[in-house]
Every structure is written in C-alpha cells, then in structure tokens.
Amino acid sequence: MRKVPDQWLSSILLSMYQRPAVTREEIIRSTLLNGGSASQALRYLIDSGTILKIGELKSKAGRRRDVLKLNPEAGYFIAVDLETARIRYALTSLVGDIRFRWEQELDFGQGPDISNLLFGIEMVRRNLEPWQQSRVLAVGIACPGMLEDDRLVTAVNLGWHRFPLLDKLSEVISIPVFLGASCRAYVLAEQGVGSARNTANCVYVELGKGIGAGIVIDRRYLEGNHHMAGEFGHITIDPSSDSQCNCGKRGCLEALASISSIVRRHAKLSGKSPSDRNGAHVSEVFEKARRNDPVALKVLDTVVKAIGLGISHLVLLFNPALVILGGELLLGEDLLLPGIKRELANHLPAFFGPPPEVIVTSLGMDIGLKGCALLAFQNSLASTDSLKKLTTPLTEAIVM
Ligand SMILES: [Zn+2]
C-alpha cells in the first residue's frame, strides 16, 4: 500500500512536464516540498517507472546528483480538437508528444454525433499495443464556442446549442473526459510547451473563422462568471459599422476581422455577386494584397486597424508581457503583423511605456492538440485513480 500522499506525487509530476532533464534540487525549488517528502515521493515514482533516471551530475566536491525526466510511456492521452471545419484527434504520450493522428472534415453547422467522436478516438487508440491500452488515462477535448460548467457546449459551427457533450461521452467512454474552451486549450499549450513557459501574464488571441482570447494573469487562466471571459471577438470596435456579426450585433471585432468577414468584404468591394463569392478563400485576398491589389490592401487595412485597436484594449486591461497570435488569419502574417503592432502602439498612452511583445504562435496547427493533452494531464493528476494507473509499474498489468 502506497504511503506517499497524492499531493506530493502530483506536484512533482506537474513540475516535470516537458522538462527534458531536471535534478532533485530543482524539483524541490519548484514544488516547495521539503527535502524528505520530495525524496520519498521521487523514490516511489522512480521505482514505479513513472520517472526515469537519465544521468548523473557530479559536483566539484564529488557529490552525485541524479538527472531525471518523466517517462513518456508511463501514460497516454487522447486529444480531440473540435475546430470549425474539422476535428483533429491525437494519441499523445504522457508529456504531450503526438504519436498518432486522425482527422474528420465537418460541414458547417453539422456537428459530429457521439458515434463519430468514438470512431475518431478509436482510430488513434487502436495503434497502441495491448499493454499500452490500459495506460490511456483520459480524453482532453477543446471546444469552440461557449462551454458552460465544463459540460454544455454551444457552438454555431457545430450546430450545437447547450449540447451535453461531457455527459454523452462519459456514458460510453470508460476513462475520464475533460472539456476545455478552445482558447483555454491554446493558452495552456503556450504555457506548457510554447512561448509563454516563462511568462506569468500573457494573452493568446485566436484569429480565424472566429476570434477569441485566452487570458492568463499571474499564471491563472481567467474564467469569468459564466466561464466567458475572453469573448474578445464580440467587443464593439466600430459602433457605426453596418457589418453584421454572427452574435446579432454590428461592428464587433469578429464582424470586421474574421476570415469570413474578410472574404465577404473583399468580394463585395470587388463587385462580385453573392453567387460568385462561394468557395472564396482568405488566402486569395492575401495573394492579391501581395501583388498590391488596392481592394485587397484596403480590406486588410481595416482588419489591421480593428485587431490592433482590439488588442490595445486587452493590453490596457490586463497588462500582459506577451501577446501570442494564432489561427488561420496568420497565413497573412507578413501582411498583418507589422500593422497590428503599429496600431497597438498607436492606441497605448505614452505613460504606459513600450507595448508588450506580439508574436505568432510557434505551435502551428497542433496547438489545440497540445493544449488538450495538457488539460488531460493536469486534470488526471487530481484523480487518485489516474495517479494509481500512472504509477503502476510498467511491468505489471493495471487492475483498477
Ligand atoms: Zn459579435
């Protein structure tokens, strides 16, 4: 019977996530455990194979210190990123490395049913060996739109209104399922394995078919009263605008700067009839702008001004050190980023000092999957059953 408290194990495991090499002393510093507790918990985790010794450091006095890392094969997660036009599935290692992938395309407004999701999950899970199957700890899912009480999903693009996704999946999946809003998953990925690892205050801005923000202040993700903090796309940028937003308002940032609004506005100013606009893609607008097409440049100028102004509000409200941009709109990074930075600086008062750093995510299209894996990892550490699975020696069958 294990006598090491769950809390000691989970704080050590959390502190080691994605750290390729760490010493006992560094673990003590980051977990604030006392030396005796840390040693006891580490011995247990090394004996079970959850943590691996990967080398030794020798001090000048001749003292040896073990170099440790998490064993990526100690557990696995299933990550599901519900995007606007497709679902990405991945089987990840304990530390979020993607081992197997699967994708399903979606029609707008046609959300997947539960059997679709189960099929996708099975397509990545079936690649594991039988001994690995029992070490799949949890499913992490990133949901677009609105997520109430971590259970109910409302997403126009999926045709879901207060869809009880968590309850439905929990009825048919034997391992824990955790849901997170997409922007939460994205900013979590940036904190865990991306550019925000050493930043206590950062904002992730998703710029795609929808626009949203994940806000981290003092290392804590901002949820809000109904978990709706960060509905950045629906702040009004131009009250006099006649651009209609999906939310029913006019002049929202999303109505001015989302991918569909860019395509629509470019087509309209180019004199295309509504039937000619179908199938147009934002990359065509970017290509035209690169060839100095005046209509495309005019459309993107509006976009840059709207996004820069919007981000200045985030910066003044939350004072982040870092603003990370992601999403399909960044296909036009060369055309948009310099202008966004310029507009942001223009809208900050002189006393505020220099604007925060604004960068594009380095995690690419995998950002949602990485965030889902970390969401599942963090939540699993709070579960006694999952910790038991994770610390069952790899040579033993897991009996739960
Ligand atoms: Zn809106």
Side-chain angles (χ1 to χ4, degrees), residues 316-328:
L316 286 165
L317 285 170
F318 302 113
N319 192 18
L322 180 65
V323 177
I324 305 168
L325 309 181
E328 215 177 333

Side-chain angles (χ1 to χ4, degrees), residues 55-341:
E56 276 186 348
L57 289 176
K58 205 168 160 186
S59 70
K60 281 181 187 159
R63 223 173 116 240
R64 289 172 189 280
R65 288 180 297 162
D66 290 334
V67 180
L68 308 167
K69 74 164 193 172
L70 284 182
N71 182 352
E73 311 304 325
Y76 303 92
F77 298 109
I78 291 165
V80 182
D81 188 8
L82 288 167
E83 292 187 1
T84 43
R86 68 183 63 80
I87 311 176
R88 292 176 199 274
Y89 300 87
L91 189 291
T92 78
S93 71
L94 183 66
V95 295
D97 299 326
I98 294 172
R99 296 289 169 78
F100 306 105
R101 296 169 183 274
W102 177 255
E103 282 190 19
Q104 287 171 340
E105 296 291 323
L106 292 176
D107 292 328
F108 189 86
Q110 293 285 311
D113 58 26
I114 295 301
S115 61
N116 283 139
L117 289 171
L118 288 178
F119 179 76
I121 289 170
E122 185 51 31
M123 289 304 283
V124 291
R125 186 178 173 148
R126 69 177 188 171
N127 293 289
L128 292 174
E129 299 292 330
W131 70 269
Q132 295 171 308
Q133 297 270 359
S134 62
R135 304 194 80 93
V136 179
L137 301 176
V139 182
I141 303 181
C143 306
M146 204 173 93
L147 179 63
E148 287 173 71
D149 302 326
D150 290 338
R151 290 175 50 247
L152 304 173
V153 184
T154 296
V156 176
N157 62 300
L158 299 177
W160 286 352
H161 179 71
R162 306 193 81 219
F163 182 68
L165 180 60
L166 184 64
D167 298 343
K168 296 259 183 202
L169 279 175
S170 297
E171 281 171 15
V172 289
I173 294 182
S174 58
I175 55 176
V177 179
F178 303 105
L179 306 187
S182 294
C183 277
R184 180 181 186 179
Y186 299 158
V187 80
L188 205 56
E190 292 292 346
Q191 283 184 292
V193 297
S195 306
R197 268 176 288 188
N198 302 313
T199 310
N201 299 289
C202 74
V203 173
Y204 174 90
V205 178
E206 171 71 5
L207 299 166
K209 288 193 175 66
I211 293 179
I215 301 157
V216 172
I217 301 297
D218 298 331
R219 298 197 184 281
R220 292 184 60 183
Y221 179 76
L222 219 61
E223 296 260 13
N225 192 25
H226 296 296
H227 308 274
M228 287 177 68
E231 282 295 333
F232 180 49
H234 302 291
I235 60 168
T236 303
I237 288 289
D238 181 1
S240 64
S241 168
D242 58 1
S243 294
Q244 177 89 40
C245 184
N246 283 331
C247 74
K249 291 201 301 148
R250 291 178 191 277
C252 292
L253 178 58
E254 195 166 298
L256 300 172
S258 69
I259 279 185
S260 40
S261 74
I262 293 173
V263 171
R264 201 167 47 236
R265 187 166 153 76
H266 180 264
K268 189 177 171 189
L269 292 180
S270 303
K272 285 186 182 172
S273 67
S275 59
D276 290 339
R277 297 175 199 173
N278 292 336
H281 194 268
V282 72
S283 55
E284 294 167 28
V285 182
F286 293 149
E287 276 311 308
K288 286 188 173 170
R290 289 183 186 111
R291 293 197 302 269
N292 291 319
D293 173 81
V295 175
L297 288 172
K298 184 177 175 188
V299 169
L300 295 187
D301 184 56
T302 305
V303 170
V304 157
K305 284 180 172 155
I307 295 173
L309 173 59
I311 291 177
S312 77
H313 295 166
L314 291 175
V315 169
L316 286 165
L317 285 170
F318 302 113
N319 192 18
L322 180 65
V323 177
I324 305 168
L325 309 181
E328 215 177 333
L329 207 62
L330 276 309
L331 291 171
E333 176 186 346
D334 54 324
L335 299 160
L336 303 174
L337 190 59
I340 290 172
K341 288 182 178 177

